[in-house]
Amino acid sequence: MLTKEKRLELWHRVFDAIEAYLEDVAGGRVTPELDPKGIRGLLKPFDFEKPIEPLEAVDFVVESLRKYQTHTPHPRYYGLFNPAPTAMGIAADALVAAFNPQLAAWSHSPFAIEVEHHLVRAFGVRFGYSPTQTDGTFASGGAEANHTAVLAALVDAYPEYAQRGVLSLEAQPTLYVSSESHHSLLRAARLCGIGTEAVREVPVDRDLRMIPEELESLIREDRKRGFDPFLVAATAGTTNAGAIDPIDPIAAITAREGLWLHVDAAWGGAVALVPELRSLLQGTERADSITFDAHKWLSVPMAAGLLLTRHRGILDRTFRIENVYMPKEAAGLDVVDPYTRSIQWSRRFIGLKVFLSLAVAGWDGYTKAIRHQTRMGETLREKLGAARWEILNRTPLPLVCFVDGEHAEGRSPGHLDAIVREILSAGKAWISTTRIAGGTPVLRACITNYLTTEADIEALVQDLDWARKRVREL
Ligand SMILES: *Cc1c(COP(=O)(O)O)cnc(C)c1O
């Protein structure tokens, strides 16, 4: 236990370190040296036999994080959707750590749980659900939310699945995703016990969007062959290329076929907050469930995902386990215990970082930030095009997949990997390579930071130009 004096010193040191990081992260390298030996060497003296001073311990961690981290809060981090966290989100996580509310049972954390309910309803409405229908739960992220959705769809399709598991199934259940979907859905199938072979990959069109006619014919074929389709998971904003599946036509198919429709809108769902972009999500209001990650485009610290559904009662049917030891003081009140309706049991107050960020920024603050990032995406496309990079994906979201259009080997994976290596080892930015459309190698850059400016974009395009020259000289 620390004395009050030591604690005060500690808080000051921690908040000074946070403020200093926020102030100068943009001026430093984006990428760390990848040195496992060096890091293990630093940790070696920590045998925990001899206690050290709190400030010494904190300074050690701060310095090590600064040195050995890909700085996702850097405005030149153009990566997978890891944002710069909001100040309110950082403050929220500190408060949550200190108050340590336990959200398993309502009576232990009435305020925290009502905050999360309030947010679930508010986001449900943003996605077009009616406030009285909307239900849902906070999750650690999109993977857990997708897992929740697959479980709920199974329980909905096979009422005995919750008790008898896969033994209750007479045929292999199948679920449908686009070939560009997130692999957490594959793993969800594995975790649910139906196996990864239950997942059918539906072909995509030129813009990497699921083709509804292909979906329909796969479902028909599977039925003929004795399989049992139960779920279609459309993606609104693929991880790779920002493709948005045509949700309305897919919803027409799931309605006709009696299948659960899930929309994985982990990052792309944020466009629901921008009036001129909202129509991209048309049809999402018909989804039986929706995944949305606040720790992506809403820029709160990890880990904050949301699973929304318009079926009240399905989470309860999926997750409730009766037991005798949980708190009972709230029995008889019009409230629910989160542990009866989610994968997690002990629960952290995930929603506070969303609540405080949204309360202070307002919907309008988010609209502006998301719009700004979308514009930065346009700017990046324009500048890349002008510098003879060839863009291979089409999306209104700020994610660009491109190759080097300047010379013949500009599309080769070796050339593209070498460009990324140059940029990363110089610490100038973080971009990556990936493959789209079943194997085409591309460079990938995504605007993940609300602080990224036109000057940052200009710098990225210059760095790319510098890197391709260097690669050709090697
Ligand atoms: C990020 C992402 C996920 C996984 O979410 P986590 O928060 O990383 O668990 C799932 N689907 C899509 C489309 C994503 O972008």
Side-chain angles (χ1 to χ4, degrees), residues 163-177:
Q163 277 68 42
R164 297 187 52 232
V166 289
L167 296 180
S168 68
L169 307 176
E170 275 158 26
Q172 163 83 55
T174 50
L175 67 101
Y176 301 79
V177 299

Side-chain angles (χ1 to χ4, degrees), residues 140-144 146 182 184 235 237-239 264 266-267 293 295-296:
S140 59
E144 185 187 318
N146 282 343
H182 195 274
S184 57
T235 309
T238 59
T239 312
D264 181 358
W267 74 274
D293 259 351
H295 68 209
K296 287 186 176 157

Side-chain angles (χ1 to χ4, degrees), residues 135-136 148-149 151-158 162 260 288-289 307-320 340-342:
D135 199 1
T148 303
L151 277 170
L154 281 167
V155 169
D156 186 66
Y158 311 103
W260 185 278
D288 298 287
S289 56
L307 182 281
L308 302 168
T309 176
R310 58 183 174 81
H311 298 285
R312 301 204 135 214
I314 187 64
L315 294 174
D316 195 274
R317 280 196 286 142
T318 306
F319 294 105
R320 178 180 288 277
T340 62
R341 48 213 307 292
S342 62

Side-chain angles (χ1 to χ4, degrees), residues 130-150:
S130 90
T132 52
Q133 291 178 312
T134 305
D135 199 1
T137 176
F138 273 87
S140 59
E144 185 187 318
N146 282 343
H147 185 187
T148 303
V150 177

